[in-house]
Amino acid sequence: MRDHNLEISSGPGGSSLTFAPVWNAAVAFVDRHVVEGRGDRVVVRDAGGGALTFGELARESDRWGRALLELGLRPGDRQLMIVLDCLEFFYLFWGAIKAGIVPVPLNTLLRAKDYQYMLEDSGASALVYSPELASEVEPALAASSARPAVTLQVPATRDLGSRAAAPLEPHRSAPTDDCFWLYSSGSTGFPKGAVHAHRDLAVVSQRWGVETLGLDAGDVCYSAAKLFFAYGLGNSLVCPLWVGASSVLSPVRPTPDLTFELIERFRPTFFFGVPTLYAGQLAALERSKPDLGSLRYCVSAGEALPIALFERWRERTGLLILDGIGSTEALHIFIANTPREWKPGTSGRPIAGYEARIVDNAGRVVERGASGTLQIRGESTAKYYWNKPEKTRDTMLPGGWLSTGDTYRQDDQGFFVYEGRADDMMKVGGIWTSPVEIEARLIEHPAVLEAAVVGRADEHELVKPEAWIVLKDAAARADETRRAELEGELLAHVKAGLAPYKYPRWWQFVDELPKTATGKIQRYKLRQGTVADTAERGGPRP
């Protein structure tokens, strides 16, 4: 079929997507719905009671895009967005794209030094930010050697845009032209600006939203992951708009109680979370019984979902959590468990439109069952990293392959099993060991809320596992006797379920684990000991 200048055809190998030579994503995701009679349909609601229809989104996007051009920006210029999840985010993003300007959403939880780096790295011509974030943004502006020509706070955008109320002629973009950037989460160091094309938005919407999840116009999506994160952007601002569905936004931290409140209030059909949040929600379910009856499915990404969490959630709620893996560089999920086939403890299989392979250090494909680095290929992968030619060469490989940096193996049924980041793997007794396997075993213990495992050298400079534990009962951490008891219990628990060499030799009990804003555990901080002052340290165990 042909739809909004995109031809979707089916064949023996699956569907294929063919774009028109001129294809501006804002026209396909926003304007199309007005032309097709859906202008009065609500596209997004926020927790404060606000709402935006497709017609309002189209008008506000036109105003903002035209205002940017009147302020002197030109197609190809960058617009940094340090904006909390709100209605304005939608038209700031789509309005820039329609005008040919490249929006760059940034993590709203960063500090001034991080924003200064991104200001200087991006060379942005415009910056829009939420006033709540001024205490970090404004010092970054003052210290930066690359101050944008246009700097505005979010409340000012409506007044500014009202000066340019006429419809905006869309920029004549090619589907492969630069459309928007996303900076990587920085789980292993400095973030990198991944440059995405217009077509990438349609690819993930069709492959993930339509062909994998089965999203349609009647669905309501609620994502705990925020819009600045590739996972959240796809869940709330991209995939729902593609099919004419709606989204729910909240600008504040998604605590378990808040997520339950919003699910009961807005009745979403899909909930998108991360393993850490699902663990917290399970703890909250011990004292509350929210109505989750509107949900069709739950989805997880960001970190591997332990089997124990999957099983506890299904037992308590009756709902499946569909775990998958995606990345900023691929824009969204490319390997997933689906409503049709799923296997706990795995990331699933490649979704339609994507290929995956596991290679060794020499780039050779390994035999099934062997561990190696996961590489994927699909039409939504980033074109390059901005200002990072060496990183681009290391990651965006010949033949369209993308190196994820994740260690995986494929089981005998073809499901992909996550074993950690390549730099998280540790050699214990001469055998490569995955921290994820040990963490999954620890989380099975009823006293454990979260766990992270890293390698630590002993007195002989031999690497052994070290466990960092967040307990369900926070008071137990302060009880020295109880901690000692738990060390013994956890040690026995691990030894009973895993190979003998995999048990942790040290135990650290902490209030929380260091994470990126997207929920990924920063194991490198644990290895460096930069959170050691928050831990109750235990000695090595035999």
Side-chain angles (χ1 to χ4, degrees), residues 114-132:
D114 303 303
Y115 293 136
Q116 180 183 348
Y117 166 78
M118 292 173 182
L119 281 163
E120 294 172 348
D121 180 66
S122 67
S125 298
L127 167 65
V128 190
Y129 65 98
S130 296
E132 297 91 336

Side-chain angles (χ1 to χ4, degrees), residues 132-154:
E132 297 91 336
L133 307 175
S135 62
E136 299 294 341
V137 175
E138 291 173 0
L141 280 167
S144 176
S145 61
R147 188 179 179 89
V150 175
T151 301
L152 292 166
Q153 286 191 355
V154 167

Side-chain angles (χ1 to χ4, degrees), residues 110 165 181 283 287 330 335 358 361 382 419 421 448:
L110 298 180
W181 299 2
R287 51 179 168 75
I335 293 176
I358 299 171
N361 291 336
E419 296 193 328
R421 295 289 297 175
V448 176

Side-chain angles (χ1 to χ4, degrees), residues 62-75 77 99 101 150 159-168:
D62 279 2
R63 286 177 176 177
W64 179 242
R66 186 175 288 279
L68 288 173
L69 296 175
E70 289 182 357
L71 287 167
L73 273 72
R74 294 292 177 263
D77 287 348
I101 293 159
V150 175
D159 294 338
L160 180 65
S162 66
R163 301 187 322 183
L168 173 65

Side-chain angles (χ1 to χ4, degrees), residues 197-456:
H198 284 258
R199 75 176 186 185
D200 298 358
L201 295 164
V203 169
V204 299
S205 298
Q206 182 66 28
R207 298 306 194 189
W208 168 250
V210 176
E211 297 177 23
T212 303
L213 286 187
L215 277 177
D216 61 36
D219 281 310
V220 178
C221 297
Y222 170 39
S223 175
K226 300 301 184 185
L227 289 168
F228 64 78
F229 178 26
Y231 180 44
L233 191 82
N235 299 337
S236 298
L237 183 133
V238 178
C239 293
L241 267 69
W242 185 250
V243 297
S246 64
S247 302
V248 176
L249 297 183
S250 171
V252 300
R253 179 174 174 267
T255 64
D257 288 339
L258 176 64
T259 58
F260 290 151
E261 175 190 332
L262 294 180
I263 289 170
E264 289 187 313
R265 178 178 166 191
F266 291 102
R267 312 302 293 162
T269 53
F270 282 89
F271 175 69
F272 302 87
V274 296
T276 298
L277 179 57
Y278 285 116
Q281 288 175 316
L282 277 169
L285 286 173
E286 298 292 333
R287 51 179 168 75
S288 66
K289 294 183 178 179
D291 179 4
L292 307 180
S294 66
L295 295 175
R296 287 208 279 149
Y297 293 103
C298 300
V299 178
S300 183
E303 285 274 290
L305 182 74
I307 294 176
L309 273 181
F310 172 91
E311 292 176 343
R312 290 177 196 167
W313 183 262
R314 194 177 187 201
E315 181 181 351
R316 290 300 303 267
T317 68
L319 292 164
L320 288 176
I321 301 178
L322 303 175
D323 191 24
I325 177 177
S327 71
T328 301
E329 292 79 3
L331 186 54
H332 212 271
I333 291 172
F334 45 79
I335 293 176
N337 290 277
T338 74
R340 296 167 297 283
E341 57 174 20
W342 42 269
K343 184 175 182 180
T346 77
S347 297
R349 293 173 170 149
I351 68 171
Y354 293 85
E355 302 171 75
R357 66 186 186 187
I358 299 171
V359 302
D360 61 20
N361 291 336
R364 298 181 295 256
V365 176
V366 302
E367 295 182 358
R368 180 169 291 193
S371 298
T373 300
L374 176 67
Q375 296 180 353
I376 64 104
R377 181 163 62 182
E379 291 185 325
S380 70
T381 55
K383 298 169 66 176
Y384 57 94
Y385 289 128
W386 177 258
N387 278 344
K388 300 286 188 297
E390 291 184 3
K391 290 290 186 182
T392 298
R393 286 194 298 270
D394 291 343
T395 305
M396 289 78 170
L397 306 176
W401 289 97
L402 176 76
S403 179
T404 67
D406 293 306
T407 299
Y408 264 83
R409 62 179 173 83
Q410 196 174 12
D411 70 12
D412 55 4
Q413 294 176 292
F415 287 86
F416 283 74
V417 182
Y418 180 67
E419 296 193 328
R421 295 289 297 175
D423 50 6
D424 288 335
M425 295 292 285
M426 51 192 160
K427 205 169 235 186
V428 181
I431 304 172
W432 283 111
T433 301
S434 166
V436 175
E437 182 185 17
I438 306 172
E439 291 164 1
R441 178 63 180 171
L442 287 167
I443 291 171
E444 291 176 2
H445 192 282
V448 176
L449 180 63
E450 293 184 273
V453 173
V454 296
R456 174 179 165 187

